[in-house]
Amino acid sequence: MELSRRTFTALAGTAALGLALAGSKAATGTHPAQAVPTGPPPAPPRADGKRHEVGFDRYSLLVDGRRLVLWSGEMHPFRLPSPSLWRDVLQKLRAHGHNAVSVPVPWNLHSPAPGRHDFTGVRDLDLFLTTAAEERLYVVLRPGPYLGSADLDGGGLPGWLTATEGVAARTADPAYLRHVDEWLGAVDAIAVRHLLTGGGGTVLLYQFEDRYDGADGDARMSRLHRKVRADGIDVPLFHDDGRAGGPRAPGFAAGVAVGAADPWGGVSSGGRGYTGVREKWDPAYERSSLLAGLADGITAHTVRMAVGGTSWGWLSSPDVYTSYDYGAPIDQARRPTPKLAPLQQLGHLLRTVPDLARLEPADEVRAKDDRLEVRHLANPDTGAQVYVLRNDSAEQVTSALPGTGIEVPVAVGARDAKLLVTGLELGRRKLAFSTAQPMFRLAVGRQDIAAFVGRAGETAQVSLDCDVQPLTNRLDNEPAWSYAQGRLNVVTPLGVGGLSRVLVENGDSKTPMLLLFADDATALRLWPYETPSGSLLVYGPALLRSATLRGATVHLTGDVAGETGLEVWAPRGVTAVTWNGQPVRTTVSRAGSLVMEGLMPGTPAPSLPALDGWRRRTENPEAEPDFDDARWTVADRTASRGGAPVPEGQPVLFADDYGFHYGDVWYRGRFEDARGIRAVSLSYRTGTQGLLMAWLDGRPLGTHRMPVPDEDTVGRGTWTATAAFAVPERLRERGGRVLSVLVRPMQRAGEERDGDGGGEAGGAFGAVRGLASVGFKGASRKVDWRIQGAGAPDRVRGALNNGGLYGEREGWHLPGHDDRDWETVDLPREDRRQGVAWYRTDFRLDVDPDVDGSIGLVLEDEPERAYRVQIFLNGWNMGQYVNDVGPQHTFVLPNGILRTRGSNTLALAVLSDGTTPAGPGGVRLTLLGAARGGVPVEAVESPGR
């Protein structure tokens, strides 16, 4: 999806789709290119109760007649099942330069059954949109119905849709579209209250569908467009179809990838998990991709993903494992990473330098060293010249840039990029040129501030046009300056001694200018912030969350990780500072800032308990011949509702046809007279890493599992296999037999990239899961089948939390379950048994309430041991660990579900095939990060027995 111009269907007025702009004429519309000159951007959005106009021209979006460069980061609230923490992540996005958040809304999470839509608890869309508005972020809303790019089960389509007779998903089939109308209607009823146009919130854009495909795509898209407009959604609409926008549409990148999802086995990461992904998609890659988009005219960006998350329960698509860290700038544990540097730098640059909102291609420029590609753009209003330098070689390139006015060679790191500007107004002074990328320009108090950034070790030169020599003071040791021929030249190494400051006074302007120089790491401690009284800048802490002015005091909140100082440039009249409610003693510096006396201490690491006191109980009584399955569903259908072919002479055994869409499924088949039967063959279909276990009259026959995907098969969504098991001779006798089969279907693919959709109605989404057929070698027998999967979803955790294991149906994973009669055991274990065993323990945490500690669960064992673990924390299914496949060993336990000050119940359901010793091995808690600050966290409801 990277760096290509996307279609705003409403904006571009795409004739082929018949999606001309509709809705309130006062709210949305196009503007002639000359109607809106370069100027300040709109104020940060909020739910102010006033109507706002959202428009566009070929350069950018327009809000109330002002140009807006959209710098959106995608996050998945559903992958962070703790609503209190949504605010934490939104504040981090805003602080690191984003002015918008892109939010997919998965149909399957909210709809447990046809016509039922649940927006409570961790599914509270209204709460999320309210929080985004409170944090002054625009929202790009993506309710699908298809969300394949989000790596969700079925692309976000609900499991029940696979078994809805006669429905062809992702087509113009009227039966399918009736269900879609119900879904979009439920979302739109919430969204319409939060539209920026109506003043109720900050929803700025609305994306329907995630792919434009199929022969009837035009008809389907037109229908969705009409539906959304009829529901009162009057903000611009778009869909991600990959075609160029019309001449009146701004450039739009619907999903600039700054990472990637990693599949089972870690093909994308070289088996190293998201550590490997983050190294491959590093800050240089990010910067290069984003700047290339800017050079292509992209002024509406969505970074995918900006925040990592957890595919808890059965949420994910089949090819990815539990962690959805994605190598994101903010990782799965909510920790900022170095990858935030380019996002923060560009985000604040685009927000504070409006020249970049209206750019046109300019004269071609060639670097002296042809390894450096140069893209030249210009603002027709201000005359500012913008140069995007890109170095795709494996080594740093330093080159002169003839014809640019940049008078010294410029260095660009290996596989990196840099944005340079000449002729730019920096408040009351003009930038002649710079060899370092500008990060922001602000007017704070009685002075102008401009920041420049680059890689550590580079030397930055900034030249200002000055007809009259100014008074120049270097406030730190590193910078040097000279004045000649109407130019003030400042030179400084980056990354030496942290932030470098140079104060320029008098000369051409009576307004002082402060020049700041930082490398990437230092820039991540610079926090520009807009207040009603003007701009503010903070330097030092790990995060600035908010700044509030009351009288002569600025009240700051934020996070401190390591020991740090605090420096504040504040609006006029501010003489005092508080940090997280505590007064800070400050002095006034020569740079015009309030500087803290001394340092704020670092955050001590919370102590974590050992996990002991384990209790164990084996399950799978379903394998025993005398198990009572009378209340199980009889599997006697003759045709699949989803249209999948059924083997001749056999009943439908696919799990979805009987209402079991998520998690493990049990089958029990009775047949008479086992004489002559030498083997049983079981055909089944699953997602990646699915498996099948079989027993005959309680005796294990064996386990079959799908292979670990390689580079050729990593995109396969559906795997099919036939498992053949020998029948023990002592069971080849007259008399009834019970064949028990456990299938772990994994999940459904949203699309089959290798074409293995199975031919079912509804395309790849209809690819069935579960047992397909049974055959016997040596004789044929009729089998009467019953099937059992997950029980009814509980009201809190929803349909995607539980599967069909006996322990899940009996509540063994829930807090409060009475396990006093379970066997007391120690870990690590060495069991050798086909089937399921459960382990439970309780542990207590006592984390300081002022400390935001991110805690994970680590599972480790000998890699050849073949078993997998389903992890339940306080009844919430936090993911699946496959010991001999990996690569994931650490599972994030989100605060809210995790009681950081209280008691927790941990339950592990271990599936082992009996071929090797099975664990669990080492199981321990680990601290992933800690900062003093954070946001108040409310406990997520976790009902027990």
Side-chain angles (χ1 to χ4, degrees):
M1 312 295 182
E2 296 176 41
L3 307 178
S4 59
R5 188 177 288 259
R6 294 302 191 207
T7 299
F8 274 93
T9 55
L11 303 184
T14 308
L17 297 181
L19 300 183
L21 190 69
S24 169
K25 299 287 187 181
T28 57
T30 59
H31 290 255
Q34 287 75 29
V36 182
T38 300
R46 60 190 179 95
D48 57 8
K50 302 176 182 178
R51 289 195 62 78
H52 296 275
E53 180 182 354
V54 180
F56 59 93
D57 61 17
R58 68 188 180 93
Y59 296 105
S60 71
L61 288 169
L62 302 168
V63 175
D64 294 331
R66 294 188 176 191
R67 295 200 175 279
L68 173 70
V69 178
L70 191 73
W71 197 247
S72 177
E74 182 168 322
M75 72 159 292
H76 296 171
F78 51 90
R79 283 193 165 104
L80 182 55
S82 179
S84 300
L85 296 181
W86 297 344
R87 187 179 302 276
D88 170 71
V89 171
L90 291 172
Q91 289 180 348
K92 287 171 179 171
L93 285 176
R94 185 197 60 208
H96 288 96
H98 287 288
N99 59 11
V101 58
S102 178
V103 186
V105 187
W107 189 0
N108 57 0
L109 181 71
H110 295 274
S111 182
R116 289 177 53 194
H117 303 101
D118 183 356
F119 291 95
T120 64
V122 300
R123 297 164 293 277
D124 193 339
L125 177 62
D126 184 81
L127 175 61
F128 181 85
L129 296 178
T130 297
T131 306
E134 291 171 350
E135 297 305 330
R136 311 296 295 274
L137 289 168
Y138 294 106
V139 174
V140 180
L141 195 65
R142 298 177 52 211
Y146 179 69
L147 294 170
S149 65
D151 294 303
L152 293 163
D153 175 73
L157 301 182
W160 55 259
L161 201 60
T162 63
T164 304
E165 201 154 7
V167 171
R170 297 183 60 207
T171 70
D173 170 29
Y176 168 65
L177 291 177
R178 281 194 295 273
H179 291 293
V180 169
D181 281 353
E182 289 184 342
W183 163 242
L184 292 180
V187 175
D188 294 346
I190 298 171
V192 75
R193 303 196 299 268
H194 294 271
L195 299 177
L196 180 72
T197 47
T202 57
V203 174
L204 178 74
L205 299 176
Y206 182 111
Q207 175 182 347
F208 56 87
E209 206 59 303
D210 196 66
R211 296 282 193 277
Y212 177 90
D213 54 14
D216 56 4
D218 288 357
R220 178 162 47 98
M221 292 298 179
S222 295
R223 165 69 176 269
L224 297 180
H225 180 272
R226 291 194 300 272
K227 165 62 181 172
V228 170
R229 286 296 189 219
D231 285 344
I233 305 299
D234 62 0
V235 297
L237 310 179
F238 70 98
H239 64 82
D240 186 13
D241 70 355
R243 295 182 294 177
R248 296 179 294 114
F252 178 48
V256 182
V258 297
D262 198 32
W264 288 104
V267 172
S268 297
S269 65
R272 300 176 59 226
Y274 285 105
T275 297
V277 172
R278 190 164 275 106
E279 290 176 1
K280 182 176 180 181
W281 281 271
D282 63 3
Y285 174 92
E286 254 180 38
R287 184 163 32 235
S288 185
S289 297
L290 294 167
L291 287 178
L294 191 67
D296 285 339
I298 303 297
T299 56
H301 308 251
T302 290
V303 171
R304 182 177 296 162
M305 294 283 295
V307 183
T310 298
S311 295
W312 59 276
W314 301 100
L315 185 68
S316 70
S317 62
D319 51 335
V320 297
Y321 48 89
T322 296
S323 175
Y324 202 70
D325 178 277
Y326 211 81
I330 299 174
D331 70 13
Q332 183 190 6
R334 300 178 292 111
R335 296 174 300 181
T337 73
K339 290 184 63 171
L340 278 164
L343 294 175
Q344 178 165 340
Q345 294 162 17
L346 289 170
H348 288 309
L349 177 65
L350 294 170
R351 182 176 61 83
T352 61
V353 178
D355 307 62
L356 302 178
R358 189 180 181 202
L359 295 175
E360 294 180 342
D363 296 339
E364 182 180 6
V365 169
R366 291 183 177 273
K368 281 287 189 181
D369 190 320
D370 59 11
R371 292 175 297 173
L372 204 61
E373 177 191 353
V374 183
R375 302 284 297 278
H376 180 201
L377 305 103
N379 184 293
D381 299 327
T382 67
Q385 307 294 303
V386 176
Y387 303 92
V388 173
L389 317 180
R390 181 164 173 163
N391 173 21
D392 291 331
S393 75
E395 58 187 13
Q396 178 173 297
V397 172
T398 301
S399 176
L401 302 173
T404 64
I406 300 174
E407 299 177 353
V408 295
V410 175
V412 182
R415 299 186 180 91
D416 205 340
K418 181 179 289 187
L419 182 148
L420 302 180
V421 183
T422 64
L424 179 69
E425 297 291 341
L426 296 179
R428 284 83 169 174
R429 303 176 191 271
K430 178 173 281 191
L431 175 69
F433 71 86
S434 169
T435 63
Q437 182 171 297
M439 178 175 171
F440 56 76
R441 71 179 189 197
L442 304 170
V444 182
R446 292 180 172 83
Q447 65 182 347
D448 295 324
I449 302 178
F452 297 87
V453 294
R455 284 190 174 205
E458 291 181 352
T459 297
Q461 177 169 336
V462 168
S463 292
L464 301 179
D465 286 329
C466 301
D467 292 336
V468 178
Q469 181 173 350
L471 176 64
T472 306
N473 293 291
R474 58 175 195 169
L475 306 182
D476 297 284
N477 293 329
E478 289 75 24
W481 64 271
S482 65
Y483 178 81
Q485 300 178 335
R487 290 272 178 89
L488 174 67
N489 299 298
V490 178
V491 179
T492 186
L494 300 177
V496 180
L499 189 66
S500 293
R501 307 159 184 82
V502 174
L503 182 62
V504 181
E505 299 176 290
N506 299 324
D508 294 343
S509 174
K510 294 181 179 179
T511 301
M513 162 152 281
L514 181 66
L515 300 175
L516 303 178
F517 299 90
D519 67 348
D520 286 349
T522 302
L524 282 171
R525 297 165 60 203
L526 278 170
W527 308 107
Y529 195 94
E530 298 300 318
T531 77
S533 300
S535 297
L536 174 143
L537 177 64
V538 174
Y539 171 60
L543 181 70
L544 176 68
R545 294 183 180 271
S546 69
T548 305
L549 272 61
R550 291 195 291 271
T553 302
V554 58
H555 301 272
L556 306 176
T557 68
D559 294 0
V560 173
E563 185 181 68
T564 183
L566 177 67
E567 186 171 7
V568 181
W569 289 267
R572 295 183 183 186
V574 173
T575 59
V577 177
T578 71
W579 178 261
N580 289 343
Q582 299 299 313
V584 176
R585 294 183 61 183
T586 62
T587 58
V588 179
S589 75
R590 293 177 63 198
S593 58
L594 298 172
V595 179
M596 179 181 183
E597 296 180 3
L599 298 173
M600 291 190 284
T603 301
S607 60
L608 301 179
L611 297 178
D612 50 22
W614 290 95
R615 295 178 178 271
R616 175 182 182 271
R617 183 172 180 179
T618 59
E619 61 142 270
N620 47 279
E622 301 95 334
E624 299 302 322
D626 57 354
F627 177 80
D628 183 4
D629 59 15
R631 290 183 292 178
W632 286 24
T633 301
V634 176
D636 59 359
R637 297 182 62 87
T638 58
S640 173
R641 290 172 177 167
V646 179
E648 185 176 353
Q650 299 210 28
V652 174
L653 296 175
F654 308 130
D656 287 292
D657 280 282
Y658 299 98
F660 304 120
H661 309 300
Y662 308 109
D664 300 291
V665 180
W666 274 97
Y667 298 83
R668 283 172 57 85
R670 288 181 169 83
F671 63 94
E672 298 297 328
D673 195 353
R675 289 179 298 171
I677 296 177
R678 298 190 299 276
V680 176
S681 60
L682 298 165
S683 296
Y684 72 116
R685 299 166 62 99
T686 74
T688 309
Q689 282 302 290
L691 62 75
L692 174 149
M693 295 179 176
W695 294 258
L696 186 60
D697 269 12
R699 177 159 182 170
L701 296 180
T703 297
H704 184 278
R705 56 190 290 186
M706 299 300 180
V708 180
D710 55 23
E711 291 185 358
D712 295 328
T713 60
V714 69
R716 180 181 297 174
T718 295
W719 296 70
T720 61
T722 298
F725 303 111
V727 173
E729 188 168 349
R730 69 178 183 82
L731 295 177
R732 303 176 192 173
E733 299 174 355
R734 185 189 300 274
R737 294 285 181 266
V738 177
L739 178 61
S740 300
V741 181
L742 173 63
V743 177
R744 174 154 288 184
M746 302 301 279
Q747 293 92 355
R748 281 168 295 271
E751 61 181 348
E752 300 287 353
R753 281 168 284 176
D754 60 356
D756 183 20
E760 293 89 341
F765 170 69
V768 293
R769 295 289 187 259
L771 195 59
S773 66
V774 59
F776 297 97
K777 184 176 181 180
S780 62
R781 294 290 185 272
K782 179 180 181 299
V783 182
D784 295 320
W785 289 101
R786 289 180 180 266
I787 182 173
Q788 176 65 54
D794 71 53
R795 64 176 180 83
V796 172
R797 301 178 184 93
L800 300 178
N801 194 71
N802 292 1
L805 295 179
Y806 181 85
E808 292 177 288
R809 303 198 306 270
E810 293 296 311
W812 294 2
H813 61 305
L814 297 175
H817 176 76
D818 187 356
D819 59 10
R820 287 175 295 179
D821 61 345
W822 290 27
E823 174 190 8
T824 301
V825 296
D826 294 323
L827 299 185
R829 290 282 297 182
E830 286 195 10
D831 288 339
R832 189 187 289 267
R833 172 183 178 270
Q834 176 179 298
V836 186
W838 284 77
Y839 298 80
R840 284 173 55 97
T841 190
D842 295 320
F843 63 93
R844 185 174 183 85
L845 295 174
D846 189 21
V847 179
D848 189 316
D850 293 333
V851 171
D852 178 13
S854 186
I855 295 170
L857 181 74
V858 179
L859 290 87
E860 296 172 309
D861 208 341
E862 297 298 323
E864 67 274 6
R865 293 184 174 179
Y867 68 92
R868 59 186 65 191
V869 181
Q870 209 69 26
I871 301 165
F872 293 91
L873 176 67
N874 295 327
W876 289 84
N877 181 346
M878 297 315 301
Q880 183 175 184
Y881 167 74
V882 183
N883 182 68
D884 57 337
V885 174
Q888 185 176 6
H889 289 269
T890 300
F891 294 77
V892 174
L893 307 177
N895 297 346
I897 288 178
L898 178 70
R899 311 293 195 247
T900 57
R901 293 182 63 80
S903 181
N904 297 273
T905 297
L906 180 64
L908 307 178
V910 180
L911 278 73
S912 53
D913 63 14
T915 62
T916 69
V923 181
R924 58 182 171 86
L925 298 174
T926 187
L927 183 66
L928 301 174
R932 191 171 297 281
V935 298
V937 177
E938 296 182 7
V940 176
E941 191 175 358
S942 295
R945 296 296 292 172

